[in-house]
Amino acid sequence: MSILVTGGCGYLGSHTCLALLEAGYDVVALDNFSNSTRASLVRVSELTGTPLKLYQCDVRNGMQLIGILEENEIEAVIHFAALKNPVESFGKPLEYYENNVGGTLTLLRVMAMKGVKKLVFSSSAAVYGKTEGQPVAEETPLCPVSPYGKTKAACEEMIAAYAASDPDFSAVVLRYFNPIGAHPSGRIGESPKQAPMNLLPRLMAAADTGAPLTVTGTDFPTPDGTGQRDYLHVCDVAQGHVLALRALEETKGVTVCNLGTGAPVSVLELIAAFERATGAKVPYELGARREGDAARSWADVTRARQLLGFAAEHTLEEACRDAWRWYCDNPEGYGEDV
Ligand SMILES: NC(=O)c1ccc[n+]([C@@H]2O[C@H](COP(=O)([O-])OP(=O)(O)OC[C@H]3O[C@@H](n4cnc5c(N)ncnc54)[C@H](O)[C@@H]3O)[C@@H](O)[C@H]2O)c1
C-alpha cells in the first residue's frame, strides 16, 4: 500500500515525501509543475536511496486521477496541491477557487469512487484571519481575510461534510503556521517559480544582495512593534504528516490540528536569530504596515501534541542555518536541474 502525495514536488511536499520514505512508506507523487519541477523528487530519491513514482498530473483531472488510483494501491492521500499566495489571490480569486476548491472536490470524488478512505489535508493559519486572542486554538471561529484563506476554509468545510456522510472516511486537517528552513543536506528547499512573498526568503535575498529588507510595520501592539509569527522548521512540518498518517489508523471523522511551535517570534527577532545562526548581516529599513497583515499569530499546539504526539524539534536558529545553506548552495533553486 502506498501514500499518494499531491503537489509532491513543492516545498512542503518534497520534504514530506522524504520523511515518508524514511519512515518506510511507499510514495506515489503527482504534480502539475505549476510551481515546481521534478528535480526536487529526483533529489529526494538520491537522498533516501529509495525510488518513488511521480506522475505529471493536475489534481483537477479526474480521469487521470482515476487511472493513478487504479494503477497503484493507495491507502491514504496527502493533499498539498494548491495555489498558496494570499496577496496574489486578491487579484486572481477565481483561479484560486478553481484550483484549490475544484481540485479538492475532484480528489474527494475520485477517492470516494475508488474507496480510498484516508486523507491528510494542507490547511493554513490563514483560515483564522486577524484574531485577537493568542495563541490561536482550533476552536477559534474561522474568519479568513484573503480569497486564498477562504478557499482553505471552503475545503475544510467540504471535507467535514463528506466525512459526515461516510463513517469509514477519516481526515486530519493540518493548519500550518509559518513553515521555514530547508532539509539540513542543503539538497532540497523552497524554489518557487515567482518571487517569494514570505519573510525568510526575502530576508535572505537582502543578506545576499545588500538591498535592504523592508520591515513592514513597526507600530503593532507587540513588544518591539513588529509583527509576531510562529515559524516552524519544514522538517517538523514533514514529520507532522507522518504522525497524522499514524493518527488516521486510530481515528474516525475529521481531526483538525494546528502545526506550529507555539512560540511567537517578531520580525526583528527573526533577523537577529538569522544573523546569529549564519554570521551573515541583514540590511533592513523600517516601513509602513502592509494592508491586511495581522499583528500577531501563533499556534496553540496542545491538540497536535495530544492527538498526534507532535512537538517541534528544530530550533529557529537551525531553521535559519538550513535555509541559508540551501540558498547559498542553490543560487538558482532547482534551476534547470531535472
Ligand atoms: N508554505 C507555506 O507557508 C504554507 C503555509 C500554510 C499552508 N500551506 C499549504 O501547504 C500546501 C503546500 O504548500 P507549499 O509551500 O509546498 O507550496 P508549493 O507551491 O511549493 O507546492 C504546491 C505544489 O502543488 C503543485 N500544484 C498546484 N496546483 C496543482 C494542481 N492543480 N494539480 C497538481 N499540482 C498542483 C505545484 O506545482 C507545487 O509543486 C499548499 O496547499 C499550501 O496552501 C503552505
Side-chain angles (χ1 to χ4, degrees):
M1 297 289 266
S2 303
I3 309 300
L4 175 65
V5 181
T6 77
C9 293
Y11 175 44
L12 304 184
S14 54
H15 288 81
T16 300
C17 285
L18 190 147
L20 291 171
L21 292 171
E22 283 179 340
Y25 289 96
D26 287 331
V27 175
V28 174
L30 70 82
D31 205 298
N32 69 355
F33 306 128
S34 57
N35 197 32
S36 58
T37 66
R38 60 180 73 240
S40 58
L41 291 189
V42 171
R43 292 192 187 184
V44 164
S45 233
E46 287 166 8
L47 283 167
T48 56
T50 315
L52 77 172
K53 246 186 192 175
L54 169 62
Y55 291 88
Q56 177 163 8
C57 172
D58 192 299
V59 79
R60 292 165 291 178
N61 184 339
M63 291 309 288
Q64 198 185 350
L65 270 186
I66 290 171
I68 293 172
L69 293 198
E70 284 175 350
E71 271 174 44
N72 300 279
E73 275 195 65
I74 301 296
E75 184 184 357
V77 178
I78 303 181
H79 181 35
F80 289 108
L83 301 176
K84 63 159 182 178
N85 182 335
V87 177
E88 180 188 62
S89 73
F90 282 100
K92 296 183 174 175
L94 300 184
E95 282 90 332
Y96 273 70
Y97 276 89
E98 187 180 15
N99 201 57
N100 297 2
V101 181
T104 303
L105 174 61
T106 303
L107 177 67
L108 284 174
R109 286 187 73 97
V110 172
M111 287 173 69
M113 193 186 300
K114 292 291 160 194
V116 179
K117 300 288 185 183
K118 296 192 180 91
L119 174 72
V120 180
F121 176 70
S122 290
S123 191
S124 166
V127 296
Y128 295 120
K130 290 187 187 182
T131 46
E132 283 306 315
Q134 300 292 330
V136 191
E138 290 84 352
E139 305 77 39
T140 307
L142 303 191
C143 193
V145 176
S146 64
Y148 164 71
K150 289 177 187 177
T151 65
K152 289 291 174 184
C155 290
E156 286 197 18
E157 211 172 282
M158 183 162 53
I159 291 164
Y162 174 53
S165 77
D166 180 352
D168 294 327
F169 178 81
S170 53
V172 173
V173 169
L174 296 174
R175 293 180 183 154
Y176 320 131
F177 277 64
N178 298 77
I180 59 167
H183 189 262
S185 64
R187 294 290 292 156
I188 58 170
E190 187 170 17
S191 180
K193 290 192 171 173
Q194 297 164 337
M197 296 297 297
N198 292 347
L199 178 59
L200 188 58
R202 289 194 295 119
L203 182 159
M204 292 193 294
D208 178 25
T209 63
L213 169 79
T214 303
V215 176
T216 49
T218 54
D219 57 352
F220 287 115
T222 60
D224 66 17
T226 65
Q228 291 175 307
R229 295 290 182 273
D230 185 335
Y231 296 101
L232 180 67
H233 195 296
V234 63
C235 292
D236 284 324
V237 177
Q239 186 56 22
H241 291 76
V242 174
L243 296 173
L245 281 179
R246 290 187 189 141
L248 279 174
E249 303 295 328
E250 285 144 30
T251 53
K252 286 282 165 237
V254 180
T255 305
V256 179
C257 281
N258 288 337
L259 271 197
T261 62
V265 173
S266 74
V267 178
L268 296 183
E269 285 169 338
L270 183 65
I271 292 172
F274 180 86
E275 290 184 337
R276 261 194 324 274
T278 65
K281 195 88 199 113
V282 181
Y284 68 89
E285 61 193 14
L286 304 179
R289 293 185 190 190
R290 279 187 313 200
E291 207 181 318
D293 274 355
R296 310 178 307 151
S297 172
W298 68 92
D300 182 331
V301 292
T302 313
R303 195 185 285 179
R305 189 171 58 239
Q306 288 174 347
L307 298 187
L308 307 183
F310 176 81
E313 286 180 359
H314 296 82
T315 63
L316 186 64
E317 280 78 6
E318 283 170 330
C320 291
R321 205 175 304 129
D322 292 339
W324 190 232
R325 184 181 301 112
W326 157 257
Y327 184 98
C328 294
D329 289 358
N330 306 270
E332 307 295 331
Y334 293 112
E336 296 305 310
D337 178 13
V338 282

